[in-house]
Amino acid sequence: VSFPGTPTGGGATLKFGPTGTPSAQILFNDTGTAADTKLTAIDDGLLGYFHDIGVVHPSWVTAWNWFCTIFDPVTVRILTFIPIVWLLLRRRQPRVALFLLVSVELSAVVTGIAKGLANRPRPSTALVYAPSTSFPSGHALGIMVCVLALLTVALPVVASRWHTPMKLLGAAIVLAIGIGRVVLNVHH
């Protein structure tokens, strides 16, 4: 079932799966409403602003790109194998290790499915190369899952005085990655 867009574009497609349930694709399509037009204007304004800064200050782009590479979800997933192995071999906590394995390591599968459903292209003004589509952000989603999962495992075993600093650091990393991906013009 297709629903036409407005003169400004958009529209939506509702597809039914084998069980007769509508697919999630309708949730990701631009419907051309006034709210979508306002969001597009905000997106375009931010992208243009950060693109102009990046063109004039290439070292700024390099710094953000390094930050986003250091906290790349693939890097963090690989590093998460350290506590998984430690939990299995040293602490003998297979349930906690399985929790990290499922939540952190399999988040890439969920992100890939969501990207396939949304299929939103990257901005044409990208300041760095980024593979695949732009929504949802693999960096933002991946790092958020990693931070939340690692905090869930770590907070019960560290002194309570470290809880707030750890939570604040985690939140700052997640927020900075989200900002960094927009600054680099690889996300809307």
Side-chain angles (χ1 to χ4, degrees):
V1 178
S2 290
F3 304 96
T6 64
T8 61
T13 302
L14 178 60
K15 295 182 178 180
F16 291 90
T19 61
T21 57
S23 75
Q25 185 173 358
I26 192 167
L27 299 174
F28 299 112
N29 287 348
D30 178 359
T31 59
T33 63
D36 289 336
T37 304
K38 288 179 185 176
L39 286 175
T40 300
I42 292 170
D43 282 348
D44 291 345
L46 285 172
L47 288 173
Y49 176 76
F50 290 128
H51 183 268
D52 292 348
I53 292 173
V55 169
V56 175
H57 304 285
S59 59
W60 191 69
V61 172
T62 301
W64 277 106
N65 195 35
W66 271 102
F67 176 78
C68 290
T69 300
I70 291 168
F71 288 100
D72 180 89
V74 174
T75 305
V76 176
R77 282 187 207 105
I78 291 168
L79 292 175
T80 302
F81 271 111
I82 295 168
I84 289 172
V85 170
W86 180 76
L87 285 163
L88 281 172
L89 300 179
R90 302 287 289 170
R91 301 285 296 194
R92 306 231 188 270
Q93 294 184 353
R95 288 183 181 175
V96 179
L98 182 62
F99 166 74
L100 283 178
L101 182 69
V102 170
S103 59
V104 172
E105 305 304 334
L106 295 181
S107 68
V109 175
V110 174
T111 302
I113 291 169
K115 281 181 173 283
L117 287 171
N119 199 27
R120 186 174 188 191
R122 294 202 182 269
S124 59
T125 57
L127 295 167
V128 296
Y129 171 75
S132 78
T133 57
S134 78
F135 181 82
S137 168
H139 278 75
L141 186 58
I143 207 70
M144 182 177 61
V145 168
C146 292
V147 164
L148 291 174
L150 290 169
L151 283 174
T152 299
V153 170
L155 288 178
V157 296
V158 299
S160 61
R161 70 176 182 271
W162 292 105
H163 289 195
T164 299
M166 289 172 66
K167 290 176 187 176
L168 290 173
L169 177 62
I173 291 169
V174 170
L175 184 61
I177 284 292
I179 291 169
R181 301 307 285 169
V182 174
V183 164
L184 294 171
N185 270 228
V186 291
H187 288 292
H188 297 275

